[in-house]
Amino acid sequence: MERTSDTRQRNEEKVIKLKIRGRRGHAGSTGSTGAAGSTGSTGSTGSTGAAGSTGSTGAAGSTGSTGSAGLIGPTGATGPTGSTGATGHTGSTGATGHTGSTGATGHIGATGPIGSTGSAGSTGLVGMTGATGPQWEVNRTVYVDQQFGNDVTGKREFPGLPFQTIIAALGAASDGDTIWVRPSNSGSSYAKI
């Protein structure tokens, strides 16, 4: 573009010179276009134009994959215990259950030791002399009194300490002993077996 301008300028100068020297002749034919001149330096950058209107929002992109879960934070301190609520009403008493069966009777415990003999009572009045009773056999004898006897205190050859049962008397008797038995009737006399 600059070379074309230079060429035009030269042609105009030639025309002016021709006007000065002589009468104006017929215009000659336009000469051939001269070679293009070298490109001039770039001019300064113009001011920035006004900003164009904002374009429409593009379509939303696909949602990215969910990231890995973060570490669990430490447990917070336990809060203070709340006040105790009011006590509820007492419920009605339930029906009484059936009585269970009676358990088996336990074994009879061992007989306890014989207590100490009490102090002797005061001597009573002397009674009338009774009739002479039968002669008691002492040696090699065992007595049984079903009413006043005692299988624990009974002794062989002691008429005053009779046994209560014949079984106990047999256990205390020796070979050849005589067992005297008095029935439960206190009026009955001893019988030898």
Side-chain angles (χ1 to χ4, degrees):
M1 294 294 292
E2 291 182 358
R3 289 182 181 180
T4 302
S5 299
D6 293 342
T7 301
R8 288 179 179 178
Q9 186 176 4
R10 290 174 184 174
N11 290 334
E12 290 177 355
E13 289 177 355
K14 289 180 179 180
V15 172
I16 293 171
K17 288 179 179 181
L18 287 175
K19 286 182 177 181
I20 295 172
R21 290 178 181 180
R23 288 187 306 176
R24 182 176 180 181
H26 296 287
S29 59
T30 303
S32 60
T33 304
S38 60
T39 304
S41 59
T42 304
S44 60
T45 304
S47 61
T48 304
S53 60
T54 304
S56 60
T57 304
S62 59
T63 304
S65 58
T66 305
S68 60
L71 298 176
I72 298 173
T75 304
T78 304
T81 304
S83 58
T84 304
T87 303
H89 297 291
T90 303
S92 57
T93 304
T96 304
H98 297 291
T99 304
S101 56
T102 304
T105 304
H107 298 290
I108 298 174
T111 303
I114 299 172
S116 58
T117 304
S119 58
S122 58
T123 303
L125 298 175
V126 177
M128 296 173 57
T129 302
T132 303
Q135 293 296 111
W136 294 102
E137 296 183 19
V138 177
N139 296 330
R140 303 182 65 82
T141 58
V142 179
Y143 287 86
V144 177
D145 189 329
Q146 296 180 6
Q147 184 175 4
F148 300 105
N150 190 313
D151 288 342
V152 177
T153 59
K155 283 190 177 183
R156 176 176 173 268
E157 297 183 341
F158 276 83
L161 296 175
F163 291 91
Q164 188 178 25
T165 63
I166 296 175
I167 294 176
L170 289 172
S174 299
D175 292 339
D177 284 355
T178 300
I179 297 178
W180 292 87
V181 179
R182 184 178 188 183
S184 58
N185 186 352
S186 58
S188 300
S189 60
Y190 281 92
K192 182 168 63 175
I193 61 172

